[in-house]
Short mmCIF file of all heavy atoms in Angstrom, two decimals:
data_model
loop_
_atom_site.label_atom_id
_atom_site.label_comp_id
_atom_site.label_asym_id
_atom_site.label_seq_id
_atom_site.Cartn_x
_atom_site.Cartn_y
_atom_site.Cartn_z
N LEU C 1354 13.68 -19.17 -5.84
CA LEU C 1354 12.84 -17.98 -5.86
C LEU C 1354 13.71 -16.74 -5.70
O LEU C 1354 13.53 -15.74 -6.42
CB LEU C 1354 11.80 -18.04 -4.74
CG LEU C 1354 10.94 -16.79 -4.57
CD1 LEU C 1354 10.09 -16.54 -5.80
CD2 LEU C 1354 10.06 -16.90 -3.32
N ALA C 1357 15.55 -16.21 -8.93
CA ALA C 1357 14.65 -15.73 -9.99
C ALA C 1357 14.27 -14.27 -9.76
O ALA C 1357 14.16 -13.48 -10.71
CB ALA C 1357 13.41 -16.61 -10.04
N ARG C 1358 14.10 -13.90 -8.49
CA ARG C 1358 13.77 -12.51 -8.17
C ARG C 1358 14.94 -11.60 -8.52
O ARG C 1358 14.75 -10.52 -9.11
CB ARG C 1358 13.44 -12.41 -6.68
CG ARG C 1358 12.94 -11.05 -6.24
CD ARG C 1358 12.56 -11.10 -4.76
NE ARG C 1358 11.91 -9.88 -4.32
CZ ARG C 1358 11.42 -9.69 -3.10
NH1 ARG C 1358 11.51 -10.68 -2.20
NH2 ARG C 1358 10.83 -8.55 -2.77
N VAL C 1363 10.57 -13.05 -12.00
CA VAL C 1363 9.28 -13.21 -11.34
C VAL C 1363 8.78 -11.85 -10.87
O VAL C 1363 9.57 -10.98 -10.50
CB VAL C 1363 9.38 -14.18 -10.13
CG1 VAL C 1363 9.59 -15.61 -10.59
CG2 VAL C 1363 10.50 -13.77 -9.17
N ASP C 1364 7.45 -11.69 -10.91
CA ASP C 1364 6.88 -10.41 -10.45
C ASP C 1364 6.52 -10.48 -8.97
O ASP C 1364 6.67 -11.52 -8.32
CB ASP C 1364 5.66 -10.03 -11.31
CG ASP C 1364 4.54 -11.05 -11.23
OD1 ASP C 1364 4.50 -11.85 -10.28
OD2 ASP C 1364 3.68 -11.04 -12.14
N LYS C 1365 6.05 -9.36 -8.43
CA LYS C 1365 5.79 -9.26 -7.00
C LYS C 1365 4.70 -10.23 -6.56
O LYS C 1365 4.78 -10.82 -5.47
CB LYS C 1365 5.40 -7.82 -6.63
CG LYS C 1365 6.54 -6.82 -6.74
CD LYS C 1365 6.09 -5.44 -6.32
CE LYS C 1365 7.23 -4.44 -6.39
NZ LYS C 1365 6.80 -3.07 -6.00
N ARG C 1366 3.68 -10.41 -7.38
CA ARG C 1366 2.61 -11.33 -7.00
C ARG C 1366 3.12 -12.76 -6.91
O ARG C 1366 2.80 -13.48 -5.96
CB ARG C 1366 1.46 -11.26 -8.02
CG ARG C 1366 0.30 -12.17 -7.62
CD ARG C 1366 -0.76 -12.25 -8.69
NE ARG C 1366 -1.84 -13.14 -8.29
CZ ARG C 1366 -2.79 -13.57 -9.11
NH1 ARG C 1366 -2.81 -13.18 -10.38
NH2 ARG C 1366 -3.73 -14.40 -8.66
N THR C 1367 3.95 -13.14 -7.87
CA THR C 1367 4.52 -14.49 -7.83
C THR C 1367 5.37 -14.68 -6.59
O THR C 1367 5.28 -15.71 -5.91
CB THR C 1367 5.34 -14.76 -9.10
OG1 THR C 1367 4.46 -14.80 -10.23
CG2 THR C 1367 6.10 -16.07 -9.00
N VAL C 1368 6.21 -13.70 -6.28
CA VAL C 1368 7.05 -13.80 -5.09
C VAL C 1368 6.17 -13.99 -3.85
O VAL C 1368 6.44 -14.86 -3.01
CB VAL C 1368 7.93 -12.54 -4.94
CG1 VAL C 1368 8.63 -12.54 -3.60
CG2 VAL C 1368 8.95 -12.48 -6.08
N ALA C 1369 5.12 -13.20 -3.73
CA ALA C 1369 4.26 -13.29 -2.55
C ALA C 1369 3.57 -14.65 -2.47
O ALA C 1369 3.48 -15.25 -1.38
CB ALA C 1369 3.22 -12.18 -2.60
N ASP C 1370 3.11 -15.17 -3.61
CA ASP C 1370 2.39 -16.45 -3.59
C ASP C 1370 3.34 -17.61 -3.31
O ASP C 1370 2.97 -18.56 -2.59
CB ASP C 1370 1.66 -16.65 -4.92
CG ASP C 1370 0.46 -15.74 -5.07
OD1 ASP C 1370 -0.08 -15.30 -4.03
OD2 ASP C 1370 0.06 -15.45 -6.21
N VAL C 1371 4.55 -17.55 -3.86
CA VAL C 1371 5.51 -18.62 -3.57
C VAL C 1371 5.94 -18.56 -2.11
O VAL C 1371 6.12 -19.60 -1.46
CB VAL C 1371 6.72 -18.54 -4.52
CG1 VAL C 1371 7.78 -19.57 -4.13
CG2 VAL C 1371 6.30 -18.76 -5.96
N GLU C 1372 6.08 -17.37 -1.56
CA GLU C 1372 6.42 -17.26 -0.14
C GLU C 1372 5.30 -17.83 0.74
O GLU C 1372 5.58 -18.41 1.80
CB GLU C 1372 6.70 -15.79 0.20
CG GLU C 1372 8.04 -15.31 -0.36
CD GLU C 1372 8.31 -13.85 -0.07
OE1 GLU C 1372 7.34 -13.11 0.22
OE2 GLU C 1372 9.48 -13.43 -0.14
N LYS C 1373 4.04 -17.71 0.31
CA LYS C 1373 2.94 -18.33 1.05
C LYS C 1373 3.10 -19.85 1.04
O LYS C 1373 2.85 -20.52 2.05
CB LYS C 1373 1.60 -17.94 0.43
CG LYS C 1373 1.18 -16.51 0.66
CD LYS C 1373 -0.15 -16.23 -0.02
CE LYS C 1373 -0.54 -14.77 0.06
NZ LYS C 1373 -1.80 -14.49 -0.68
N GLY C 1479 4.18 -18.74 -10.57
CA GLY C 1479 3.10 -18.14 -9.81
C GLY C 1479 1.81 -18.93 -9.92
O GLY C 1479 1.09 -19.12 -8.93
#
Side-chain angles (χ1 to χ4, degrees):
L1354 174 64
R1358 186 177 188 176
V1363 289
D1364 61 20
K1365 291 182 179 179
R1366 182 187 179 192
T1367 292
V1368 171
D1370 288 336
V1371 175
E1372 287 178 340
K1373 288 179 186 176

